[in-house]
Amino acid sequence: MGDHSLVYKLNSERRRQIAGNKFKTEEAEVVVVGSCNTDLISYAPRLPKPGETIHGTKFSIGFGGKGANQCVMAARLEAKTAMVSKVGDDAFGNETIKNFKENGVITEFVSISKGASTGVAPIAVNEQGQNAIIIVPGANMLITPTEVEDALSKLPSVKVLLCQLEINMDATLAALKYGKSKGILTILNPAPAVEKLDPEYYKNCDIFCPNETETEILTGLPVTNIDEAKTAAIKLIELGCTKVIITMGGNGAVLITSDNSNPVHITTQRVTPVDTTGAGDAFVGSLAYFLAYHSSLPIPEMIKRACHIATISVGNQGTQKSFPWKIDLPEELLK
């Protein structure tokens, strides 16, 4: 697929014009039920130890939340995408909705709550691109199962539904069950991971997509290399999953399905990251795009291409602002 460096071909204003080519709400084919956060990002030579204060080198404010990130990534690949979420009645919430619109996302189902602030995520990033994140969910926890089901009922063309665990978990499970009942392909990115996750979450998603750390929490098994990931993937199938994709950062991903007990390792090109924040979300959002628009591709090929896009994102600072647009990517990647 060529090298993984990225030079954006368009300035931000032209990208907004592309995103402004609106489609009707009922035409949305990828829907994300998930979180919206404002990222408060501090860059420093290293991450502080407990009780320690250190000097940083840079600070920025960006848009985040795993749900919002995955939604924006799919939209930048020109998937017809809708977001179902809740923000606070504050400046962060207003800017979040504006950002969705500038990325071509349908915002009809992004509701505003006066009961809590928009979610925030203070993030520390070291010189190696590693990060530590604290999430304060705020309004994300106020969205209800009824609100989610009502929104999904107004989206008749959806092919792929993405969920995470950053919002009210009852609402997440309601979304997965609704999608499953309507024949929509459901993906659960179980982040942040929960010990002893209700088996209903495993049973109501078609693709279960954790990273190494989340897999360790969910299975109680170590996941420090590919062989350990394969063992943990088998355990997740035993817990009720149909298809499992464990993302492994620079080591690619491990895939297993319930009808094939042999896990497969999909490799990706290793690069020196600038900032890994949001890389997993870039992967999941890209995977949703391939599932919705290139469903004839073998799943290992979809994973390989989604890894490629995620690898591009780690070469740039920030979360959503590091995500490439379709026009920035090689044509053969998206065929």
Side-chain angles (χ1 to χ4, degrees), residues 72-88:
V72 166
M73 184 68 256
R76 288 193 176 189
L77 296 178
E78 299 185 15
K80 295 179 179 179
T81 309
M83 185 75 193
V84 180
S85 60
K86 193 178 286 284
V87 297

Side-chain angles (χ1 to χ4, degrees), residues 35-41 59-65 68-69 87-88 90-97 117-123 133-137 140 319-320:
S35 57
C36 299
N37 292 324
T38 298
D39 290 343
L40 308 173
I41 310 169
F59 173 77
S60 65
I61 298 176
F63 300 102
N69 293 342
V87 297
D90 51 36
F92 287 157
N94 293 334
E95 288 299 310
T96 292
I97 293 172
S117 65
T118 299
V120 295
I123 302 171
I133 306 172
I134 299 172
I135 297 169
V136 183
N140 288 307
T319 308
Q320 290 179 23

Side-chain angles (χ1 to χ4, degrees), residues 22-89:
K22 298 297 182 183
F23 55 90
K24 296 178 181 179
T25 298
E26 59 269 23
E27 295 175 340
E29 294 177 297
V30 174
V31 63
V32 180
V33 177
S35 57
C36 299
N37 292 324
T38 298
D39 290 343
L40 308 173
I41 310 169
S42 297
Y43 296 89
R46 59 181 176 82
L47 301 179
K49 299 174 183 177
E52 181 184 21
T53 300
I54 64 174
H55 284 287
T57 57
K58 181 181 175 182
F59 173 77
S60 65
I61 298 176
F63 300 102
K66 298 193 73 63
N69 293 342
Q70 293 167 19
C71 185
V72 166
M73 184 68 256
R76 288 193 176 189
L77 296 178
E78 299 185 15
K80 295 179 179 179
T81 309
M83 185 75 193
V84 180
S85 60
K86 193 178 286 284
V87 297
D89 186 14

Side-chain angles (χ1 to χ4, degrees), residues 122-298:
I123 302 171
V125 182
N126 68 13
E127 288 181 342
Q128 289 72 47
Q130 298 170 319
N131 62 68
I133 306 172
I134 299 172
I135 297 169
V136 183
N140 288 307
M141 302 309 291
L142 299 184
I143 192 166
T144 67
T146 300
E147 288 174 310
V148 167
E149 290 165 354
D150 180 64
L152 294 175
S153 71
K154 296 172 182 174
L155 295 165
S157 301
V158 172
K159 297 177 180 177
V160 178
L161 167 66
L162 287 177
C163 293
Q164 313 79 33
L165 299 179
E166 282 189 337
I167 65 170
N168 175 0
M169 289 184 62
D170 290 339
T172 298
L173 185 55
L176 291 170
K177 286 183 174 180
Y178 182 95
K180 199 76 169 175
S181 72
K182 299 296 182 181
I184 298 168
L185 193 152
T186 55
I187 304 174
L188 177 60
N189 173 218
V194 177
E195 289 186 39
K196 298 180 181 178
L197 184 65
D198 186 333
E200 288 295 302
Y201 289 91
Y202 297 117
K203 295 175 182 176
N204 284 284
C205 67
D206 295 299
I207 297 177
F208 193 78
C209 188
N211 66 15
E212 314 103 298
T213 303
E214 291 148 8
T215 301
E216 288 182 339
I217 293 170
L218 291 159
T219 64
L221 299 172
V223 183
T224 61
N225 56 50
I226 299 304
D227 287 339
E228 290 179 348
K230 289 180 177 180
T231 299
I234 293 170
K235 176 68 176 291
L236 289 170
I237 291 293
E238 292 171 351
L239 288 171
C241 295
T242 302
K243 189 180 277 93
V244 174
I245 300 170
I246 300 176
T247 57
M248 303 285 292
N251 289 318
V254 168
L255 165 70
I256 189 173
T257 63
S258 58
D259 57 2
N260 184 349
S261 59
N262 295 315
V264 177
H265 177 214
I266 294 97
T267 61
T268 192
Q269 181 175 329
R270 295 187 68 91
V271 298
T272 301
V274 173
D275 184 355
T276 61
T277 309
D281 298 329
F283 173 87
V284 176
S286 299
L287 180 65
Y289 163 80
F290 288 114
L291 288 164
Y293 293 93
H294 299 281
S295 58
S296 62
L297 285 174

